[in-house]
Amino acid sequence: MSNLTFNRINTVLSEEDLATINTHIEALLEKLPAIGMTPAERKSFRGMNVHNKAYAKDCINMLKMNGAETMPSYINIENLIADYELFEQLDKIKSRLKTALSYVETAQRITGKEAYDMTRAVHDLYGIAADSGVAGAKTSYDKLSERYEKQTGRKKGAKLP
């Protein structure tokens, strides 16, 4: 078991902070196109990698210089440019969101480990207190042991490393 006195994160977000975060997330979601894809589309649509991104940029530059006169009317140059620009914007947003999600996942992982390690210690200490005859400790130990055994598959009294 880890050092229970070492607590890497010891904070709670205030209700105001949570509200602010959720408000910003909602604002973000309202600005983004809410369009879904079927599983078949998700599988078949080509992604934009660095090579075809450079190609698309070259194509757009060519169309800007010599597109209106050369391309047929069904090639909508403005739509192509808008799609590419939105892709670039979303790429930057995605990068920032990945960073934010990494922060959330890391903090959640650390705090989850810290909380779970401490609850294992509490469970064990209730067992020690029950074995020592401390009033009420056996009831708490037995109650916690029910869930502990169900979730871990370990028998009563089994110690985790």
Side-chain angles (χ1 to χ4, degrees):
M1 190 175 296
S2 65
N3 182 345
L4 295 176
T5 61
F6 179 63
N7 194 5
R8 291 176 65 182
I9 300 175
N10 189 21
T11 189
V12 175
L13 295 172
S14 69
E15 290 299 320
E16 182 180 307
D17 287 342
L18 280 174
T20 298
I21 290 167
N22 285 322
T23 298
H24 288 294
I25 291 170
E26 285 302 317
L28 170 68
L29 292 173
E30 287 174 11
K31 296 292 182 184
L32 296 175
I35 298 172
M37 294 172 68
T38 67
E41 287 174 329
R42 190 166 295 280
K43 191 174 183 180
S44 69
F45 283 15
R46 266 190 205 100
M48 180 80 84
N49 65 27
V50 69
H51 300 295
N52 52 22
K53 184 177 167 184
Y55 173 77
K57 185 67 175 167
D58 288 345
C59 187
I60 288 170
N61 288 335
M62 283 297 146
L63 286 170
K64 286 179 179 179
M65 289 188 308
N66 186 24
E69 308 82 29
T70 310
M71 291 292 117
S73 61
Y74 58 83
I75 298 294
N76 188 319
I77 297 169
E78 291 78 25
N79 284 354
L80 170 60
I81 292 169
D83 285 343
Y84 183 83
E85 286 178 6
L86 181 59
F87 174 85
E88 289 280 73
Q89 292 169 336
L90 293 173
D91 202 35
K92 290 174 184 160
I93 292 169
K94 183 171 84 171
S95 176
R96 297 292 294 153
L97 288 173
K98 280 183 174 183
T99 299
L101 184 58
S102 173
Y103 289 2
V104 168
E105 289 173 341
T106 299
Q108 186 180 33
R109 184 79 176 239
I110 290 168
T111 56
K113 180 194 182 317
E114 289 176 353
Y116 186 66
D117 284 354
M118 187 65 74
T119 62
R120 287 177 35 205
V122 167
H123 174 260
D124 291 347
L125 290 170
Y126 270 125
I128 292 168
D131 290 346
S132 300
V134 175
K138 180 160 178 30
T139 303
S140 296
Y141 180 76
D142 289 346
K143 183 70 176 166
L144 291 174
S145 292
E146 289 174 26
R147 180 176 295 273
Y148 185 73
E149 289 170 19
K150 285 180 191 173
Q151 91 180 35
T152 64
R154 287 178 164 65
K155 299 293 181 211
K156 194 181 250 186
K159 303 290 183 204
L160 288 177

